[in-house]
Amino acid sequence: MNHVRYIDKTRDYYLSQGYDKPYRWANFDDVPFTPLNKPLAESRLALVSTSEIALRSWKDQRTPLEKGEQGNVYSFPADTPLDDLYSQTHSFDKYATTLVDVNAYFPVTRLQEFAAAGRIASLAPNVHGVYNAYSQRKTREKDAPELLRRLRADAVDVVLLTPV
Amino acid sequence: MPTVIIGVARDIIEHCGVARLVFTDFPLGSPCGEPGDARMQGKIVGSALDLLASATGPRTTIQSPFAWAKGDAWKASIFSKDQPWKTEEETEEWLARKALYRKLRSEGKV
């Protein structure tokens, strides 16, 4: 069976809900590409997620937007206990699957295993999340540069990105 | 910086255009493998590491070889009347977030 056409399905769905302006999904003619510049076994990898991954131990569980903050990028230690992690998102197929197993969308344990096995040099000390900014321009002009700054501060070589 | 994405919404990600994509034909929520299946998750994450090294140009997509254990019925049900994308409560939360964003934007705070 072919893969799901989410762009078509969401357009039809929102039209049926009375929204007449279809969402304009991000679209680029020129796509940047950076080749690997050293072996993976010598590379530090960072995990970045848009799954609204959150910590149960956070005192304030509100999103940056709900708190009135400008930034949508947040970070926490990669060695945070797995049972402290969960996702706040509703944007997943709750009829078909669950978010109970964090590694099914935020594979931090799997990456720790690859680091222990020497497949990558290390997992970077911080993992990062990026909240939906409701603005593609802000994602591009504010959140992406802030994320890159944090990755460079951790001397990251390669990045694995996981939406939910 | 070399990047790779593991994702399920192939059309959205390819419409945007990315350097490297490991596409898993699973429901939204499980791009890195079935919940509880650490071995499958390891294979999928491992294939993303392979792709970091093997891709030679942008828009390189590979597909995970796994099929969803319960079959593909979930695909036909997406956004159907029986399975609303958002519950009423979630719709309210979504609209509240949007309204908050518009308010903060009008005040120049975001």
Side-chain angles (χ1 to χ4, degrees), chain A residues 5 16 18 21 27-28 33 36 46 49 58 70 99 117 121 127:
Chain A
R5 266 56 175 184
S16 77
K21 229 170 66 182
N27 179 230
F28 297 94
F33 178 85
L36 205 59
S49 175
W58 280 345
Q70 299 245 351
L99 301 181
V127 291

Side-chain angles (χ1 to χ4, degrees), chain A residues 47-49 51-56 76-78 80-89 97-112 127 160 162-164, chain B residues 6 29-38 41 45:
Chain A
L47 177 60
V48 175
S49 175
S51 67
E52 299 191 22
I53 188 83
L55 272 61
R56 292 191 168 87
F76 57 87
T80 299
L82 198 62
D83 58 12
D84 195 17
L85 300 181
Y86 79 107
S87 168
Q88 298 178 312
T89 191
T97 192
T98 76
L99 301 181
V100 174
D101 181 359
V102 168
N103 275 286
Y105 55 92
F106 188 78
V108 63
T109 311
R110 302 290 86 80
L111 291 169
Q112 286 161 345
V127 291
L160 171 61
T162 54
V164 76
Chain B
I6 304 177
S30 304
C32 303
E34 300 228 13
D37 193 337
Q41 293 163 6
V45 174

Side-chain angles (χ1 to χ4, degrees), chain A:
Chain A
M1 194 171 177
N2 285 331
H3 64 269
V4 176
R5 266 56 175 184
Y6 287 98
I7 291 176
D8 297 342
K9 282 194 181 251
T10 48
R11 186 188 52 228
D12 295 347
Y13 177 77
Y14 284 107
L15 278 174
S16 77
Q17 300 290 305
Y19 298 92
D20 53 357
K21 229 170 66 182
Y23 182 71
R24 286 172 64 100
W25 296 90
N27 179 230
F28 297 94
D29 291 333
D30 293 319
V31 176
F33 178 85
T34 308
L36 205 59
N37 51 18
K38 59 178 162 177
L40 263 183
E42 297 168 22
S43 297
R44 169 174 281 188
L45 182 142
L47 177 60
V48 175
S49 175
T50 52
S51 67
E52 299 191 22
I53 188 83
L55 272 61
R56 292 191 168 87
S57 56
W58 280 345
K59 284 202 176 73
D60 190 340
Q61 295 280 330
R62 291 177 302 165
T63 64
L65 177 64
E66 287 164 339
K67 286 187 272 191
E69 291 175 359
Q70 299 245 351
N72 287 296
V73 180
Y74 59 102
S75 310
F76 57 87
D79 60 1
T80 299
L82 198 62
D83 58 12
D84 195 17
L85 300 181
Y86 79 107
S87 168
Q88 298 178 312
T89 191
H90 298 303
S91 296
F92 74 103
D93 191 340
K94 53 184 138 340
Y95 303 98
T97 192
T98 76
L99 301 181
V100 174
D101 181 359
V102 168
N103 275 286
Y105 55 92
F106 188 78
V108 63
T109 311
R110 302 290 86 80
L111 291 169
Q112 286 161 345
E113 290 162 359
F114 280 121
R119 183 84 177 279
I120 52 175
S122 62
L123 180 59
N126 293 295
V127 291
H128 311 275
V130 185
Y131 283 104
N132 182 347
Y134 291 91
S135 160
Q136 291 172 19
R137 187 178 60 82
K138 288 201 171 67
T139 300
R140 206 168 53 241
E141 295 178 3
K142 288 175 95 169
D143 295 342
E146 170 60 19
L147 176 61
L148 185 60
R149 189 189 66 75
R150 293 185 189 207
L151 295 170
R152 285 182 172 150
D154 275 353
V156 165
D157 298 304
V158 296
V159 181
L160 171 61
L161 302 128
T162 54
V164 76

